[in-house]
């Protein structure tokens, strides 16, 4: 299929077997969510896809390109952009400077400016705060800034790791609406989330990951009604 295909991947940290024959797919134009508890292997999966760790077995392809053979700094040129857990914005740089930094691998300066303006249009709060240092923003605004910075890079596949972490429910709703809008504008999204309820509201499909491998998968609406998911992740 076109899109992202992870096939039979193992990852080891020394003697720790972090991912075990992990396989899943993300079709172009989809939002796919990976659900699971702490330690399930979700963040390792994101680090694998962004080239920060390497597989000891298996393959990772994005529209036919072997991502596993590429260094991390080259993935953005193939449209793969990672928003890491914890946002990791530059706290002493302004909002605008953070956004501009997202375009560091984009040769066309006018395209960078256009994408920055698109980020402001999508998230007007960032425009209001554009001259503020990133560290002075609220948690929700920092998450918006992290997403905006990634969008300036021009992602075709956006990897989002725990974007709702530490945010109030109303802000979580706003962030998820932004992610859904980014997807509607044509960006494929892989969303790692502990907040299963929020993730399943916007995802097309989802996979449940436990101890480094997929134990359950299906359309998001079906998983939201699956008693196993309800009991384990939806607090019912």
């Amino acid at each position: 299929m076109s899109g992202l295909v992870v096939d039979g991947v193992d990852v080891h940290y020394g003697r720790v077997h972090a991912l075990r024959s992990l396989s899943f797919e993300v079709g172009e134009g989809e939002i796919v969510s990976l659900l699971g508890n702490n330690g399930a292997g979700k963040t390792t999966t994101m680090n694998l896809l962004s080239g920060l760790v390497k597989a000891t077995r298996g393959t990772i392809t994005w529209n036919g390109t072997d991502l596993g053979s590429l260094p991390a700094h080259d993935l953005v040129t193939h449209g793969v952009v990672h928003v890491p857990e914890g946002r990791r914005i530059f706290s002493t740089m302004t909002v605008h400077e953070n956004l501009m930094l997202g375009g560091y691998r984009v040769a066309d300066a006018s395209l960078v400016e256009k994408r920055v303006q698109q980020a402001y249009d999508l998230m007007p709060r960032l425009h209001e705060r554009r001259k503020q240092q990133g560290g002075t923003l609220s948690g929700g605004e920092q998450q918006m800034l992290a997403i905006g910075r990634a969008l300036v890079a021009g992602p075709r596949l956006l990897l989002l790791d725990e974007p709702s972490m530490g945010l109030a429910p109303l802000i979580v709703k706003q962030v998820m609406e932004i992610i859904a809008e980014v997807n509607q504008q044509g960006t494929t999204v892989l969303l790692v989330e502990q907040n299963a309820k929020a993730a399943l509201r916007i995802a097309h499909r989802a996979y449940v990951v436990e101890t480094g491998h997929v134990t359950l998968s299906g359309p998001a609406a079906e998983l939201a009604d699956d008693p196993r998911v309800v009991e384990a992740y939806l607090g019912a």
Side-chain angles (χ1 to χ4, degrees):
M1 64 178 288
S2 63
L4 178 69
V5 180
V6 177
D7 185 19
V9 165
D10 283 14
V11 169
H12 291 80
Y13 296 119
R15 294 184 178 180
V16 177
H17 200 167
L19 299 181
R20 304 167 180 267
S21 297
L22 181 71
S23 298
F24 65 90
E25 300 177 350
V26 183
E28 278 201 279
E30 285 191 304
I31 300 177
V32 170
S33 183
L34 297 184
L35 309 177
N37 293 321
N38 282 335
K42 304 187 308 298
T43 292
T44 295
T45 300
M46 290 303 227
N47 289 339
L48 170 76
L49 297 175
S50 57
L52 300 177
V53 300
K54 293 297 183 181
T56 51
R57 187 177 73 88
T59 60
I60 312 139
T61 59
W62 165 243
N63 287 336
T65 297
D66 178 9
L67 297 186
S69 65
L70 298 176
H73 62 268
D74 277 350
L75 293 183
V76 67
T77 63
H78 292 274
V80 180
V81 182
H82 184 189
V83 179
E85 180 181 344
R87 298 140 200 166
R88 301 187 192 179
I89 62 164
F90 292 91
S91 61
T92 60
M93 296 173 68
T94 67
V95 166
H96 190 75
E97 289 168 340
N98 269 274
L99 291 175
M100 290 295 291
L101 193 61
Y104 79 101
R105 294 291 296 269
V106 181
D108 185 344
S110 64
L111 181 58
V112 173
E113 292 285 358
K114 178 182 177 181
R115 289 174 177 169
V116 168
Q117 185 57 53
Q118 289 171 336
Y120 286 145
D121 292 342
L122 179 63
M123 295 169 280
R125 184 69 60 85
L126 295 182
H127 188 261
E128 295 170 9
R129 304 283 194 266
R130 64 191 181 279
K131 295 182 180 179
Q132 286 185 220
Q133 289 186 334
T136 68
L137 303 181
S138 69
E141 290 166 347
Q142 289 187 15
Q143 186 62 65
M144 292 177 194
L145 179 56
I147 293 172
R149 182 179 60 188
L151 294 179
V152 175
R156 294 172 60 204
L157 173 62
L158 184 61
L159 309 174
L160 291 164
D161 195 354
E162 302 286 5
S164 77
M165 181 176 288
L167 303 183
L170 181 60
I171 306 304
V172 171
K173 183 174 182 291
Q174 293 175 1
V175 168
M176 292 298 166
E177 288 172 350
I178 290 167
I179 295 168
E181 179 60 28
V182 168
N183 173 251
Q184 288 168 14
Q185 292 177 5
T187 302
T188 303
V189 177
L190 179 62
L191 172 63
V192 157
E193 259 299 337
Q194 277 196 296
N195 187 336
K197 189 173 294 186
L200 292 173
R201 284 196 190 107
I202 66 168
H204 299 101
R205 295 186 302 109
Y207 295 85
V208 175
V209 179
E210 297 177 6
T211 60
H213 66 280
V214 171
T215 58
L216 200 61
S217 65
E222 290 183 12
L223 288 183
D225 290 331
D226 189 300
R228 294 165 292 182
V229 175
V230 170
E231 181 179 0
Y233 302 106
L234 300 182

